[in-house]
């Protein structure tokens, strides 16, 4: 039973992994990620790659909404900006996939900063409506800027390559998306041990008090928008290389709802919550497909009737977690950990 963890320095108090048990679990997790392509099927690797892309995007939205308190319903549109930027760079400049991921993130960050300009004057519902407006505008650009985006036909990409190795299959693509997802999560976790990350939290908790303490509100909010959009752009570029075909329909408004549901279900304001929520919400549609496949022999119209249910379930999950577990799956996991820290004794 663990009864305490003595910390003798400031650095030890702020370490990401402050106990040997945590470091052991982290090492086991990294080992599992490395071994997954050797033991998992192509279908499992497909879901793992998709979940990793969603982890990157959800972590970005969690920085903006969970840690800075700024609601955005245009996250999917920022992913679209990153995806199109990476596709254009690949087809016209012939740059490497790694550079295109960075370019996609930078393009989305620029757009995110522009969209975030109204955040000094409006917040809450009004800011959410502003981001919806930006999403509609970007969707119009994707559909009508045909010389660049290909219009409604979209763009096709060749497979990404790594040291001359073709990453067309999920088992190969995993070696690109997994390191990016891990580095993104680690970077976000370290961000909130810095002055910038604490400024984000101060703006979320009380923006007027933060301004009194000398935190520049506009710069901090724009920085949060830009960083969140950068994550979305990187996720969008990974999405483009994963599916190798993007159209305006690849980034619908319901995709933004998906990411909002992911951070609410996982737990807003926690890095772990964004990761767990993204994985959980990625598996929900697959669970529905399995249910439909099981009941289809008994109910022939199950596919037609249950196809819209996914959006309904997203909404139900958001409402259910807000009512019954507002801190999300991350809080459930913390309670489980606390139980085993004291087991077999009771508090």
């Amino acid at each position: 039973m663990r009864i305490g963890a003595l910390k003798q320095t400031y650095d030890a108090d702020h370490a990401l992994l402050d106990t040997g048990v945590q470091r052991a679990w982290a090492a086991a997790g990294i080992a599992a990620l490395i071994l997954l392509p050797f033991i998992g099927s192509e279908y499992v690797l497909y879901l793992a790659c998709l979940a990793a892309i969603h982890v990157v995007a959800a972590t970005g939205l969690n920085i903006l909404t969970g840690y800075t308190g700024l609601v955005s319903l245009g996250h999917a549109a920022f992913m679209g900006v990153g995806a199109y930027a990476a596709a254009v760079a690949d087809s016209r400049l012939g740059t490497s996939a790694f550079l295109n991921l960075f370019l996609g993130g930078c393009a989305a960050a620029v757009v995110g900063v522009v969209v975030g300009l109204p955040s000094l004057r409006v917040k809450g519902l009004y800011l959410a409506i502003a981001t919806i407006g930006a999403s509609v505008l970007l969707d119009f650009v994707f559909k009508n800027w045909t010389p660049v985006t290909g219009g409604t036909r979209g763009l096709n990409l060749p497979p990404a390559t790594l040291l001359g190795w073709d990453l067309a299959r999920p088992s190969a693509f995993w070696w690109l998306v997994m390191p990016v997802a891990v580095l993104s999560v680690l970077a976000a976790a370290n961000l909130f041990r810095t002055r910038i990350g604490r400024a984000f939290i101060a703006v979320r908790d009380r923006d007027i008090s933060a301004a009194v303490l000398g935190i520049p509100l506009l710069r901090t909010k724009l920085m949060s928008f830009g960083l969140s959009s950068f994550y979305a752009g990187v996720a969008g570029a990974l999405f483009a290389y994963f599916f190798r075909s993007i159209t305006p329909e690849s980034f619908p408004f319901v995709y933004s709802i998906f990411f909002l549901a992911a951070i609410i279900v996982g737990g807003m304001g926690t890095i772990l919550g964004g990761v767990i929520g993204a994985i959980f919400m990625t598996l929900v549609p697959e669970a529905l497909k399995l249910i439909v496949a099981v009941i289809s022999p008994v109910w022939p119209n199950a596919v037609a009737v249950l196809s819209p249910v996914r959006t309904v379930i997203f909404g139900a999950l958001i409402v259910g977690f807000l009512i019954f577990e507002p801190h999300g799956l991350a809080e459930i996991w913390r309670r489980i950990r606390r139980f085993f820290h004291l087991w077999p004794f009771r508090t």
Side-chain angles (χ1 to χ4, degrees), residues 51 53-62 65 75 254-284 313-315 317-318 321 325-330:
I53 294 172
H54 290 162
V55 164
V56 176
T59 300
L61 183 60
N62 211 5
T65 302
H75 208 60
V254 69
Y255 210 17
S256 296
I257 303 298
F258 171 91
F259 290 114
L260 182 63
I263 64 172
I264 290 176
V265 169
M268 287 197 296
T270 62
I271 299 299
L272 179 63
V275 175
I276 297 177
I279 296 173
F280 179 82
M281 295 303 294
T282 302
L283 297 179
V284 166
I313 289 180
F314 288 166
L317 285 172
I318 292 175
F321 271 88
E325 188 51 82
H327 296 292
L329 295 171

Side-chain angles (χ1 to χ4, degrees), residues 299-324:
W299 186 13
N301 295 327
V303 176
V305 174
L306 297 180
S307 58
V309 170
R310 184 176 67 173
T311 305
V312 175
I313 289 180
F314 288 166
L317 285 172
I318 292 175
V319 174
F321 271 88
L322 285 175
I323 294 174
F324 299 106

Side-chain angles (χ1 to χ4, degrees), residues 69-74 115-134 225:
L70 302 175
V71 181
S72 173
L73 293 176
V115 173
L117 286 174
S119 62
L120 184 63
R121 297 294 182 184
V122 297
K123 56 185 178 180
L125 177 61
Y126 300 100
L127 182 59
I129 296 299
T131 57
I132 292 175
F225 259 102

Side-chain angles (χ1 to χ4, degrees), residues 108-347:
V110 172
V111 175
V113 168
V114 174
V115 173
L117 286 174
S119 62
L120 184 63
R121 297 294 182 184
V122 297
K123 56 185 178 180
L125 177 61
Y126 300 100
L127 182 59
I129 296 299
T131 57
I132 292 175
S135 176
V136 173
L137 178 60
L138 288 172
D139 182 69
F140 177 83
V141 172
F142 296 157
K143 291 180 178 177
N144 293 279
W145 198 9
T146 306
V148 175
T149 64
T152 55
R153 292 179 300 174
L155 298 174
N156 296 321
L157 284 83
T161 58
L162 177 63
L163 302 176
W165 183 26
D166 189 290
L167 305 181
R169 300 179 63 183
S171 56
F173 189 79
W174 175 249
W175 298 110
L176 173 64
V177 68
M178 183 268 289
V180 173
V182 171
L183 290 176
S184 299
V185 172
L186 289 177
N190 279 283
L191 172 68
F192 295 100
R193 302 192 299 163
T194 66
R195 183 176 181 179
I196 295 174
R198 289 166 184 160
F200 290 167
I201 296 173
V203 170
R204 177 198 65 188
D205 292 341
R206 180 71 68 177
D207 55 353
I208 296 177
S209 299
V212 172
L213 292 173
I215 296 175
L217 292 184
L218 181 58
R219 188 175 71 183
T220 302
K221 291 181 178 181
L222 292 183
M223 196 179 302
S224 181
F225 259 102
L227 186 58
S228 172
S229 300
F230 180 86
Y231 271 70
V234 172
L238 289 170
F239 183 97
Y241 277 113
F242 185 51
F243 291 102
R244 287 185 285 158
S245 177
I246 53 172
T247 66
E249 285 71 29
S250 301
F251 308 98
F253 176 71
V254 69
Y255 210 17
S256 296
I257 303 298
F258 171 91
F259 290 114
L260 182 63
I263 64 172
I264 290 176
V265 169
M268 287 197 296
T270 62
I271 299 299
L272 179 63
V275 175
I276 297 177
I279 296 173
F280 179 82
M281 295 303 294
T282 302
L283 297 179
V284 166
E286 300 304 317
L288 292 177
K289 290 179 183 178
L290 291 177
I291 293 173
V292 170
V294 170
I295 66 177
S296 289
V298 181
W299 186 13
N301 295 327
V303 176
V305 174
L306 297 180
S307 58
V309 170
R310 184 176 67 173
T311 305
V312 175
I313 289 180
F314 288 166
L317 285 172
I318 292 175
V319 174
F321 271 88
L322 285 175
I323 294 174
F324 299 106
E325 188 51 82
H327 296 292
L329 295 171
E331 178 59 27
I332 296 176
W333 171 245
R334 279 193 291 267
R335 285 204 295 266
I336 294 173
R337 288 180 58 197
R338 285 196 296 268
F339 173 80
F340 284 102
H341 285 168
L342 299 175
W343 186 86
F345 302 100
R346 291 181 178 269
T347 56

